[in-house]
Amino acid sequence: MSDKQVKTLESITIRFAGDSGDGMQLTGGQFTDTTAIAGNDLNTFPDYPAEIRAPVGTTFGVSGFQIQLSSKPVHTPGDAPDVLVAMNPAALKVNLPILRDNGIIIVNTDSFQQRNLDLAKYESNPLEDDSLKLYQVFRVPITTLTREALKDSPLRPKEKDRSKNFFALGMTYWMYTRSMEPTLEWINTKFKNKPELIKANTLALKAGYNFALSTEIFTTSYRIERASIKPGKYRNITGNEATALGFIAAAKKAGKELYLGSYPITPASDILHELSKYRNYGVKTFQAEDEIAGIASAIGASYAGDMAITTTSGPGLALKSEALGLAVITELPLVVVNVQRGGPSTGLPTKTEQADLMQAMYGRNGEAPVPIIAANSPSDCFNAAFEAMEVAFKFNTPVLLLTDGYIANGAEPWLIPKVDELPEIKVEYATDPDNYQPYKRDEETLSRTMAIPGMAGFEHHVGGLEKDITGNVSYVPEIHHEMVNLRAEKIKRVNNYTQEPELFGEPEGELLVISWGSTYGSVFKAMEEAKNRGLSVSWYHLRWINPLPKNLGTIIKHFKKVLVPEINLGQLVKLIRAEYLVDAQGFNRVLGLPLNSGELLEAIESHLKGL
Amino acid sequence: MSDKQVKTLESITIRFAGDSGDGMQLTGGQFTDTTAIAGNDLNTFPDYPAEIRAPVGTTFGVSGFQIQLSSKPVHTPGDAPDVLVAMNPAALKVNLPILRDNGIIIVNTDSFQQRNLDLAKYESNPLEDDSLKLYQVFRVPITTLTREALKDSPLRPKEKDRSKNFFALGMTYWMYTRSMEPTLEWINTKFKNKPELIKANTLALKAGYNFALSTEIFTTSYRIERASIKPGKYRNITGNEATALGFIAAAKKAGKELYLGSYPITPASDILHELSKYRNYGVKTFQAEDEIAGIASAIGASYAGDMAITTTSGPGLALKSEALGLAVITELPLVVVNVQRGGPSTGLPTKTEQADLMQAMYGRNGEAPVPIIAANSPSDCFNAAFEAMEVAFKFNTPVLLLTDGYIANGAEPWLIPKVDELPEIKVEYATDPDNYQPYKRDEETLSRTMAIPGMAGFEHHVGGLEKDITGNVSYVPEIHHEMVNLRAEKIKRVNNYTQEPELFGEPEGELLVISWGSTYGSVFKAMEEAKNRGLSVSWYHLRWINPLPKNLGTIIKHFKKVLVPEINLGQLVKLIRAEYLVDAQGFNRVLGLPLNSGELLEAIESHLKGL
Amino acid sequence: MAETMHIEPVKLTRDDFTSPIDARWCPGCGDYSILAQMKKVLPELGVPKENIVFIAGIGCSSRFPYYVDTYGYHTIHGRAPAIASGVKIANPDLKVFVMTGDGDALSIGGNHFIHLCRRNIDITIVLFNNEIYGLTKGQYSPTSKQGQITKSSPYGSIERPFNPVEMALAAGATFVARTIDREPKHLEHILKRAAMHKGTSFVEVYQNCVIFNDGVYNSLTDKKVKDDNLIYMENDKSLLFGKEKEKALHWNGTRFEVVQVSDHSVDTLTKHKEDGGNPAAEFALSSLSMEAHLPTPIGVFRNAHIPTYEQMLQKQIDDVTEQKGEGTLETLLNSGKTFEIK
Amino acid sequence: MAETMHIEPVKLTRDDFTSPIDARWCPGCGDYSILAQMKKVLPELGVPKENIVFIAGIGCSSRFPYYVDTYGYHTIHGRAPAIASGVKIANPDLKVFVMTGDGDALSIGGNHFIHLCRRNIDITIVLFNNEIYGLTKGQYSPTSKQGQITKSSPYGSIERPFNPVEMALAAGATFVARTIDREPKHLEHILKRAAMHKGTSFVEVYQNCVIFNDGVYNSLTDKKVKDDNLIYMENDKSLLFGKEKEKALHWNGTRFEVVQVSDHSVDTLTKHKEDGGNPAAEFALSSLSMEAHLPTPIGVFRNAHIPTYEQMLQKQIDDVTEQKGEGTLETLLNSGKTFEIK
Ligand SMILES: Cc1ncc(C[n+]2csc(CCOP(=O)(O)OP(=O)(O)O)c2C)c(N)n1
Ligand SMILES: Cc1ncc(C[n+]2csc(CCOP(=O)(O)OP(=O)(O)O)c2C)c(N)n1
Ligand code: SF4
Ligand code: SF4
Ligand SMILES: [Mg+2]
Ligand SMILES: [Mg+2]
């Protein structure tokens, strides 16, 4: 060990890639946890194959997990990985194009046999021709070495081979000076009833570590200093987990039971899975027969007094449109979570996109406005879910929460909030049965006066037809006009109560970047670099998209140009143009991938030049 | 007769109103047909009660039918009626507020008994207090007179009373110098198996006519000269009928069978009813189990080579969103007709509104653009349906056709087109099985290359996942980006092939009015008056809303202000602001009623003043 | 649930359930009878009025909630079973009714209907079957007879009807019954039994639409002929019918056949069993109404007792809570693998 | 229809139906067997390849169309029956298959499924029942057993399963059968009969999902025990099972019971009848699979022959055309009450 170098780096991006069966998501997850405990900031991007279970060894079946770790705050999993761990030819083939120039590749040479090369559609073996000459390639016979390490194990060969990801993990632990402890601990709990597996995986992990330590191949290991992130108690959390926890927390803070009505759909299903574990928190999950029943049952639960949510992804939101209109006209508190994915139609179910914003705004018949909030990052989903619920109950309205596949599956360390730092959520019901009118409104918020079944003396009717203040049907033209306007005005007032985002950068200048949702990290990175380069660009990242923040119009006036980066063909940019009559331009990529901050930076520069 | 006056009027607006059971729609229909044959131009507005079948005599149950007839071209059923025929107190109560000052009221005095007054919630008899003093009231004991006329009929008293609408009709025929012939003919065909009813209704009609002729009450009858409308063969047609015929005509011109998949919903059901009559035209109507199955089956029929449509109203369109996305990504020709009604949710099912435009534009997950066309008037629905189909087949795309309750139920004379004036619709299929690629595109239109089941050698797969040119699934980021952009670009090119609307008025000036759909008539009227008043205002009425016409940007530049009247809270106006960055303002009324041209004219004036 | 106030039940009367809103069905509509009987049943349930909720979709029938003075939600077309499921799961103390029509429940709402039956959530579904879409003015429905001429089938419908009872049985409803608007006593009795049942109860009510499908049940309601066409099923009783109860339905080992009572000794005649133990008999009985030459049974087809969905959910909540302890916000936030940054 | 080319049928082989696209199910998935048998059946149908259309929703099973070299449409979740209905009505010359899963057909698509069965459109539905949502990685489905632990039911599912055969019977499918992925001969035979049937035919295939629900049908596929648990129903034959065919299902007048063949003379044992004439027997047989202690029948539950939807539609078109004459554009435009303006 002593004759090896230790270099200190600020940050590094590693991508683990292999066949779907190779356990890459698990490997990535372990690396992530260990990294978090080591005190680095980090951000991850699991990029697994679509729904298809491809035959082993093909490019369709490649599963990847990317992590950026740093001693500085990071907000993205990194554009181009510095290191690629490729367990088979297909994994190499798929991921090579995104690796940075002169990047490190660790390959499992055992898997580069003709059959696998054919499956990956390689004409010749890339380890043997010069196609990798621009990279630093570490050739390791991982399978052989793993088998060797496990030669005394009673496991069958196939089972032994399953440990090879731990071998690979072990190597990276040495390379990036991570402790093996957390993973060893995890192995012990995970396989507590399968001692043979504990042994095998432990051996493989250590063998990998020792191999890297002792072999000549690796000459250098790297340190990444602890990040100076805020002290406190952390846990790694994915966006879907954070969303689930945000709602349970909101229910506790409101003294309500949480009700989820949902139908499984990628990439939203994990919220359902997560919430279904919390029976002892009084969480009721109802796996409905379809998305319509999912929202319909949530509407019923809300009507009956639970804190109700429904979770889905794009096609499911389309199906919920009609029922969402019912929640709008009957003015019930409800949060609809849409974890966006690539569209249209079934589209690209496992890829990320931001193309449901317009559907969220307008995908209902008639004038049916709802507030829209978007989460910025995995851990931010907690706050966004909580805040969505606060607004739903304050205004008695359905609220749409937008996340997407990228932050839903991605993970980052989350500074666990203190219980009493979280605000109470006040739920108000009618108190005077003699003069009860369900559509009587609070003067400030225009929220209607709720009473729920079980409250004696408040029996009343509501429904999807237009109505007057009593809740009874009315066809009077003026009442319809008034109600349509009141419902619209109520949603406009939401921004009297929500916090406005902070402007990043100078209050005036050449270019203003406006973004929303999961692009936060990429834009952050691009903006930091832009600042370094001294560019006159500021940034405003929206939290609430409907209604837009009050001060946005004023902010915009102080810039010559506006650029709106989105993972769609230009949706927020249309809202901004219509609202502020500013010639905002879009920066749009629809690749099923998170925005590339390098590309965005270029776009910023060229927009500045165009001035 | 000789001692009575005959006055000539340019136009007149009459409203028949009575209980749902009083046959007012039938009466209005007869008056309309007779008026058309008399050579007047006309426009009608049936305004029947909501879905509710109210107890007899209440205001909820009032059914109205309004018609404007004129010797000049008319485009609306008139803002305020000149004449109200009120068969009972409830009908008087409901309609009095819209009658013009000093208007004529013909009441059935027999029905003004305490019970009916109570049901209509009249505190005192309006015929006896002075609440009608601003009007010319004709008091006729219609029920008594009808019974008297039918005293020799063997019908039971209740049945006799059913003829009283013919008595009322007879009176109006005299007053407005209409011939009784067409209605007498109609009675003979309609009741051909019920001779007693032929006799009764004939007697009642004539009795009403003779009563008006001979009694002292009516001193004046009115003539409305023939309108100098284009010579040719006409028929009265409602919007829903015209829509149905437009599609059958398109199918004939394309040599295709017409397939409708639909679920009944007010006010669209009549298209289903109408089309189900045309079995001998090879029209297949499939009454589906819900709106989703309606569009899904139409997608299947289109895929298999029929000319396919689906018809619905707002909530139904919401339900169709997901499947419409499938039609977008598989690029199949299909027309979705949305007969708009008051929303949100169930809203006001029998009232009119234009609030589904944004849903039509954006109500789908992902980037899923479709062309949108809107019909201007009842008869124009024929052209709009035909044109929608032309575009659907030229571009292999679903097209959205927007009409609304007002023009769907309203009727006007329709100049029947000549068979060979209608263009052929060319349907193109792949011809070369060896190189068949379903997503290979025409260079000009970007339309894809279709082949349908049954074509040997062209077997292929399509589906809702993202795909490459072969139709097979592709998850390659760049292909997704390319396909999303191609689909968007294809729809943008629709306006290379569609006719641009004509600008009404000067090519430049102070104010430009931009409108769409059924407000055509009201805006036309307001614009005519504005012209008379010499106001500097021009008008552009959109036919295709997506894509917007190419020249609109240029036109807008020649005006200082833009006003967009709509029966919603401002939807087209948002599209225009976003697209052209012009400070277009909305004129918005959401009353469930057609736009009032008088109010619009005021708005035009005040916008001009504001300059 | 926290918000539910528990009040000592007071003796209620039908007037307590009379809504200030006048019913607006057509004069003579069968819906009035269902409303009248329901108002008689409600006070008998022993449930405080504020704990009663009527959920309906869209249709003439679905206007029902407005006409009873309880909590009522007139929702959207076809979704009432799903909405009601949420209501009941949120607050199991509530007595929840779904009021629906043949179009609402079996056309657009077919899926939610069968899934509610499958889950056995404690909800009472009352289906007003007039074999027509009333509200939208007369199109055929999934229960309309083949050949029926309607607005959307001017040359006769070519679709085969569903048998709602058979669908409810197959989907797993634990109480399944049929009755008729024109048999007020029977209607009242069946509504009451359904409402008292624990689990998903389903009642098909043959209902006359005077406007668009008048007389569709004449053979079962017309005094002159109904005795020969209608059988009142009663538990443990023979299935007698005819003017003098001279005929009976008798199980011949394979199917039901019509026999003369005089040809049998009474105790050898097949007795009706409601207990839900025999799918063969349930389906054989339910299929009779589809055959023109056989009498139509009304009464209870199945009455089975198994745990309800919400009972099982509560049990799961209790079990997990017992096992893991009641979750607090503190434990929630600090669960999973945490670590300190200093 | 005009575009359909009629070509003399050439003798096709299974290779003609092999798609250039490789199937991408998990190794060992039961779906492969269904694909293999289907490719054997297709050439036997006597239908030209270009007239065969596979329509599927979403799910592992719904990937099927890509893997046969015919026309194929991979649509959206649950809607395949409705889309297929449009395809068949548009062009009745086509042989249309719906390939679907237990989630696709019975959860989100339940309504379209039952309505297709009701209408008797000539379409063959093949339901891959693995009692799980495979594609979305393992949530319970409407056919999962109560108590099953899945991603979305970590403490066991509290829902009661549907019996797909029972639903298809109740909804009116005219051919209803069940088979198993691991019985290739039986599977092939049933697929062929279903495909040849005129009207809505329904085949439930018990299919093993090796990843998320492995072994769910072990009792029916494991050599050691299957003989005691599986009954092959054959028309007009007794319902024998057991290693030595020593046991039989016998109708005791009310229900099926298991008897020893030795206790009976063979021709007194109940014989299976597929003819669709007896709902009691159909439902009694279909309900057996829900009872743990009774054997599960595979084979044909119902095989009834009545006119199909599209035949009746064509007849109506012909009748109306005969009566009113064929409609032309000229007559269309000039129908109704016209008048001349000069
Ligand atoms: C989404 C949607 N689709 C269609 C309709 C129109 N619609 C309202 S009620 C109804 C059918 C009613 O039939 P049924 O349930 O039998 O009730 P009935 O009026 O006969 O009592 C239809 C098609 C609607 N309101 N919403
Ligand atoms: C509208 C919509 N909702 C949800 C999904 C997600 N989804 C895809 S397949 C599936 C269930 C598949 O189960 P099954 O039909 O049993 O097929 P299997 O994969 O088991 O063969 C679900 C929930 C979707 N694609 N679209
Ligand atoms: S239309 Fe028929 S069902 Fe509806 S209220 Fe009238 S009679 Fe009753
Ligand atoms: S997940 Fe299950 S059903 Fe899907 S392909 Fe794999 S084994 Fe088959
Ligand atoms: Mg009905
Ligand atoms: Mg499945």
Side-chain angles (χ1 to χ4, degrees), chain B residues 118-132:
Chain B
D118 289 350
L119 283 169
K121 309 229 155 97
Y122 264 121
E123 314 240 301
S124 72
N125 188 340
L127 302 183
E128 284 162 15
D129 58 26
D130 55 2
S131 54
L132 302 179

Side-chain angles (χ1 to χ4, degrees), chain B residues 51 53 263 273 277 287, chain C residues 24 63 77 140 152 155:
Chain B
E51 28 179 49
R53 275 134 218 290
Y263 186 69
H273 304 159
K277 296 177 191 157
Q287 183 177 308
Chain C
R24 290 193 204 144
R63 288 298 173 110
H77 198 30
Y140 63 95
S152 55
Y155 308 113

Side-chain angles (χ1 to χ4, degrees), chain B residues 181-252:
Chain B
E181 271 319 306
T183 297
L184 290 172
E185 238 175 65
W186 179 87
I187 290 174
N188 279 311
T189 351
K190 176 78 183 177
F191 302 105
K192 70 168 173 286
N193 300 319
K194 295 175 186 147
E196 280 313 330
L197 290 184
I198 295 187
K199 214 161 150 194
N201 290 331
T202 304
L203 280 174
L205 182 74
K206 290 189 176 166
Y209 192 95
N210 291 332
F211 174 79
L213 166 70
S214 50
T215 177
E216 303 272 284
I217 303 184
F218 298 95
T219 53
T220 318
S221 74
Y222 303 91
R223 277 178 65 87
I224 292 95
E225 297 290 337
R226 301 184 74 84
S228 57
I229 44 181
K230 209 172 156 191
K233 199 164 166 193
Y234 281 79
R235 62 189 275 199
N236 275 327
I237 199 158
T238 67
N240 277 341
E241 285 164 359
T243 304
L245 294 192
F247 286 124
I248 305 178
K252 291 280 172 205

Side-chain angles (χ1 to χ4, degrees), chain A residues 4 170-171 174 180 203 205-215:
Chain A
K4 296 204 172 185
M171 290 194 293
W174 178 82
M180 283 187 285
L203 280 174
L205 183 74
K206 290 188 175 165
Y209 192 95
N210 291 333
F211 174 79
L213 167 70
S214 49
T215 177

Side-chain angles (χ1 to χ4, degrees), chain A residues 175-216:
Chain A
M175 278 183 79
Y176 298 99
T177 51
R178 321 269 91 177
S179 151
M180 283 187 285
E181 270 320 305
T183 296
L184 290 172
E185 237 176 68
W186 179 87
I187 290 173
N188 279 310
T189 351
K190 176 77 184 177
F191 303 105
K192 69 167 172 286
N193 301 319
K194 296 173 187 150
E196 281 313 330
L197 290 183
I198 295 186
K199 213 161 150 194
N201 291 331
T202 304
L203 280 174
L205 183 74
K206 290 188 175 165
Y209 192 95
N210 291 333
F211 174 79
L213 167 70
S214 49
T215 177
E216 304 271 283

Side-chain angles (χ1 to χ4, degrees), chain B residues 502-504 512-513 515 520 523-524 527 537-541:
Chain B
E502 264 177 59
L503 184 70
F504 177 106
L512 176 66
V513 173
S515 53
Y520 181 85
V523 183
F524 191 100
M527 288 301 301
V537 48
S538 297
W539 173 38
Y540 197 70
H541 192 78

Side-chain angles (χ1 to χ4, degrees), chain D residues 236-291:
Chain D
D236 250 344
K237 300 249 168 83
S238 323
L239 296 155
L240 306 180
F241 68 110
K243 284 233 161 27
E244 315 288 332
K245 300 285 180 210
E246 74 282 7
K247 292 180 279 191
L249 269 185
H250 183 64
W251 182 250
N252 72 5
T254 319
R255 65 186 75 232
F256 282 100
E257 56 182 19
V258 174
V259 299
Q260 296 296 318
V261 175
S262 54
D263 296 347
H264 288 252
S265 82
V266 180
D267 29 298
T268 63
L269 282 175
T270 306
K271 293 207 168 57
H272 178 57
K273 299 277 182 203
E274 300 177 341
D275 62 6
N278 186 353
E282 288 168 357
F283 285 98
L285 280 171
S286 71
S287 67
L288 295 175
S289 62
M290 311 299 277
E291 316 267 340

